[in-house]
Amino acid sequence: MKEMNEAESRPNDSSRSQSQHDLSIVQVAHGVSPSCRNSRYGHSGGIVWLTGLPASGKSTLAMQLEARLFDLGYACYTLDGDNIRAGLNANLGFSKSDRSENIRRAGEVAALFADAGLICIASFISPYQADRTQARTAAGQSAFHEVHLAADLATCEARDPKGMYKKARKGELRNFTGIDAPFEAPVRPDLVLHTDRESVTESVDKLVAYICEQHPMRISPVAR
């Protein structure tokens, strides 16, 4: 049997660095339990992940949903794709690897909001199924609701509020989802909204009804 030489037996720099990183991480337990957070807010935390083609209506629905839930007494916050790219993910581009990292980071942040007891509304194109699955995994014990805004490409391109489809068709914008980059539709979404044929109000009403069913307001939120 061939014996490993010294170089083969030593871990490489990357594996050694990863091992040192793992050894240095010790997660700290919170002093506030999930049940206490639920009692404070009157509902459980969770993630509402809106995915769909550009111009399918994600940001519009997300912000209106946030306002409606807030008026109902829910503690909620929206993570919008463009807003996140303007700050936390400002160093990322639109290659496949950067898109995946964009969603990985967003998924981890959304998980923190949900763990804190809030309803986190995440509005991201998130074109790859594997990335959305990773976001669901990051949610851990928190509820994760994948919502597909199933507007077809023709409708989204006709809307084109930011003029991005037109630029992509002219070749001025590369790796644009729906044109020269893929969108992998959810296989088993928790909710489907046909935003190509229903009004914004109809879609928001469906979202509100869904959240109220999945995260019922058990009691009035406890005031500080």
Side-chain angles (χ1 to χ4, degrees), residues 15-200:
S15 64
R16 185 163 55 248
S17 176
Q18 181 63 45
S19 176
Q20 292 172 347
H21 174 269
D22 293 341
L23 289 173
S24 68
I25 300 299
V26 179
Q27 290 186 294
V28 180
H30 287 275
V32 180
S33 70
S35 61
C36 287
R37 297 180 193 279
N38 293 352
S39 295
R40 169 61 60 86
Y41 297 126
H43 60 81
S44 58
I47 300 169
V48 184
W49 193 279
L50 306 183
T51 178
L53 287 168
S56 58
K58 297 179 298 299
S59 295
T60 299
L61 295 189
M63 294 307 181
Q64 291 203 22
L65 174 61
E66 179 187 75
R68 288 276 298 275
L69 291 179
F70 185 81
D71 287 344
L72 290 172
Y74 282 86
C76 54
Y77 190 81
T78 295
L79 298 177
D80 181 76
D82 281 356
N83 292 351
I84 293 296
R85 279 188 173 276
L88 176 65
N89 293 346
N91 64 322
L92 298 177
F94 292 90
S95 65
K96 188 177 188 304
S97 60
D98 276 6
R99 285 173 181 265
S100 293
E101 177 61 12
N102 180 53
I103 299 307
R104 188 195 69 79
R105 294 181 192 178
E108 293 291 345
V109 173
L112 293 175
F113 272 96
D115 187 54
L118 280 70
I119 299 296
C120 181
I121 305 161
S123 170
F124 294 87
I125 296 172
S126 45
Y128 300 112
Q129 180 64 53
D131 296 338
R132 298 193 300 268
T133 298
Q134 185 178 31
R136 183 186 290 271
T137 300
Q141 298 300 311
S142 299
F144 184 97
H145 311 282
E146 185 179 42
V147 182
H148 181 202
L149 276 59
D152 61 83
L153 178 61
T155 298
C156 294
E157 190 166 359
R159 291 173 177 170
D160 200 15
K162 301 175 184 177
M164 298 300 188
Y165 280 101
K166 185 177 295 184
K167 291 181 180 178
R169 289 295 188 188
K170 291 180 178 179
E172 298 172 1
L173 195 61
R174 301 293 183 185
N175 299 321
F176 190 75
T177 304
I179 303 301
D180 58 349
F183 177 79
E184 299 172 1
V187 178
R188 289 183 294 275
D190 299 291
L191 181 66
V192 178
L193 299 174
H194 296 283
T195 55
D196 52 350
R197 58 175 185 262
E198 60 191 34
S199 68
V200 171

